């Protein structure tokens, strides 16, 4: 079985998904991808939180979302 088939099999495994389908938290160490399509593909993409790159991207996005309002306030109040 090649990696593409493993990725597809892991994506279809319901044990690798958490939360409601519209949130789609994905966690699979065997899946080589950082970004995967959500369970409902029209809802976009999600991160594979079993990969270090997925976790780092998630932390970066959270920090960015927290810092953006703060930076906006700093520049507006100048």
């Amino acid at each position: 079985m090649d990696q593409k088939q493993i990725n597809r099999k892991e994506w279809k495994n319901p044990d690798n998904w958490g939360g409601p389908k519209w949130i789609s938290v994905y966690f699979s160490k065997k899946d080589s991808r950082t970004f995967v399509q959500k369970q409902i593909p029209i809802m976009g993409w999600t991160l594979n939180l079993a990969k270090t790159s997925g976790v780092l991207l998630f932390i970066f996005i959270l920090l960015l979302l927290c810092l953006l309002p703060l930076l906006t306030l700093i520049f507006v109040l100048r």
Side-chain angles (χ1 to χ4, degrees):
M1 187 180 298
D2 68 348
Q3 189 60 48
K4 194 171 186 177
Q5 292 171 322
I6 293 170
N7 291 349
R8 191 175 302 118
K9 182 181 175 189
E10 288 297 302
W11 186 86
K12 289 181 180 181
N13 184 351
D15 293 335
N16 293 331
W17 293 93
K21 283 191 176 195
W22 58 275
I23 293 176
S24 298
V25 177
Y26 185 69
F27 189 92
S28 173
K29 290 183 180 183
K30 294 178 185 175
D31 194 325
S32 64
R33 301 169 294 176
T34 300
F35 292 98
V36 295
Q37 231 177 0
K38 290 192 175 199
Q39 285 179 297
I40 304 171
I42 197 167
M43 297 297 290
W45 296 78
T46 190
L47 294 168
N48 181 356
L49 295 176
K51 293 189 58 72
T52 304
S53 56
V55 173
L56 291 175
L57 267 167
F58 180 71
I59 292 169
F60 176 75
I61 291 167
L62 282 179
L63 286 173
L64 190 62
L65 289 173
C66 292
L67 289 176
L68 263 171
L70 181 63
L71 292 173
T72 304
L73 276 175
I74 290 171
F75 285 112
V76 167
L77 296 175
R78 236 186 210 200

